[in-house]
Amino acid sequence: MKQKVWVLLLAAAMVLGLAACSRNTGSNPTPPPSAPSASPAGGGADSNTPVDPSTIKVALVCTGAVNDGGWNASAYDGLMRIEKELGVEVAYSEKIAIAEVPNVLRTYARQGFQLVFGHGAEFGEPMSTVAPEFPDVQFVAVNASVEGANLSGTVYKFGECGYFCGMAAALVSETGRIGIIPPDDAPNNKADMDTYELGAKSINPDIEVLVAYTGSWDDLPKAKECAESLISQGCDVLLALGDAYSVGVFQACEEKGIKAMGWVSDQSGLSDAVICSGLQSNADVYVATAKSFLDGTFTPGVNVYGMPNGAQGMSEFYGLTDEQAAQVETAMQDYLDGKLEIPTLY
């Protein structure tokens, strides 16, 4: 199992060698996922006509590392799919301090990038400042509820995945105590934390849910420390609601012989302790946004993605019995059919 972690980290390190690259490939478009539930995304910052992919450059800016195995890695995957599937030139910058974000955004705009993604809610404010300076550039802040003449945000229905992770955790818990490890209690994290507890209590009304904050999206030692603390208090299932630090949670779970859950991507490849993961298809969001920008249907605004349009969901259930997995899957279908209400953030 430890070999899995090291193999993944080695492969991820190789990806770092591609940082800040810019390539142009031939076009072989494939259909993107269904459109978001708000305004559809379109062809230039102020145009409703299709554009030639060979004339377009798309940039991505991340405050984290694109080899984190989660949130930022999914953005990089989306950018690579934009390059391959839509045939446009792409470039990216990673591990950018938030104070430097405005300058990086301006640099891409001045270099002729017409579509610039900022991967995270933290990009909402700097993009709101920079966007008016470059009216011919479309800025998209992923995970931020912002909008303007050439500024858009994409948000998830935060809370959907938390609920079903909570159900799964309660179904396999033997101690009646489960835990969740988020970086902080920001509204998007709080939504999934709250529904994690709701989902768990739908299975076992008496279950206890404990929380430990890392204070960072990528502090692996702190995450492991948080996990060890929750385990010492009797938790036998932990949801790692983070990015690079998830590996620290998984290590603690392996050492203590308890179960873990991943986030954003299927993280079962990181550890045998992972029994399932809540999924957010950032790559699909990126491709759908870029495609609509190219085909002239993009309208700046806040676009909401969730389970109804396939942007969120659950991975396979590796540590549940068939009966337990079927119980969660039935609840997921009830939610999609409108028979189950989940208090999502959007």
Side-chain angles (χ1 to χ4, degrees), residues 306-325:
M307 287 178 64
N309 47 40
Q312 289 196 135
M314 295 293 295
S315 72
E316 292 185 42
F317 297 100
Y318 307 100
L320 280 67
T321 66
D322 290 344
E323 182 179 353
Q324 291 170 335

Side-chain angles (χ1 to χ4, degrees), residues 214-247:
T214 65
S216 163
W217 284 100
D218 54 13
D219 190 336
L220 191 154
K222 178 64 175 179
K224 186 176 182 181
E225 178 184 313
C226 288
E228 291 171 339
S229 174
L230 294 182
I231 294 170
S232 71
Q233 297 175 67
C235 293
D236 62 350
V237 187
L238 298 181
L239 170 59
L241 197 70
D243 289 343
Y245 73 62
S246 296
V247 173

Side-chain angles (χ1 to χ4, degrees), residues 167-188:
M167 285 187 67
L171 284 166
V172 301
S173 176
E174 297 178 359
T175 65
R177 280 192 171 188
I178 59 176
I180 185 169
I181 302 176
D184 52 45
D185 63 352
N188 55 318

Side-chain angles (χ1 to χ4, degrees), residues 232-311:
S232 71
Q233 297 175 67
C235 293
D236 62 350
V237 187
L238 298 181
L239 170 59
L241 197 70
D243 289 343
Y245 73 62
S246 296
V247 173
V249 176
F250 301 155
Q251 288 176 348
C253 290
E254 292 167 10
E255 292 169 5
K256 300 299 183 180
I258 74 161
K259 298 176 173 63
M261 294 180 173
W263 199 247
V264 177
S265 59
D266 184 344
Q267 296 186 311
S268 61
L270 288 170
S271 169
D272 291 335
V274 176
I275 62 171
C276 65
S277 300
L279 305 179
Q280 291 179 334
S281 187
N282 288 317
D284 286 342
V285 170
Y286 274 79
V287 175
T289 302
K291 183 178 184 302
S292 57
F293 183 83
L294 291 173
D295 66 23
T297 61
F298 189 91
T299 301
V302 178
N303 296 297
V304 182
Y305 292 84
M307 287 178 64
N309 47 40

Side-chain angles (χ1 to χ4, degrees), residues 128 144-153 300-302:
S128 296
S145 183
V146 293
E147 56 186 313
N150 60 321
L151 172 64
S152 297
V302 178

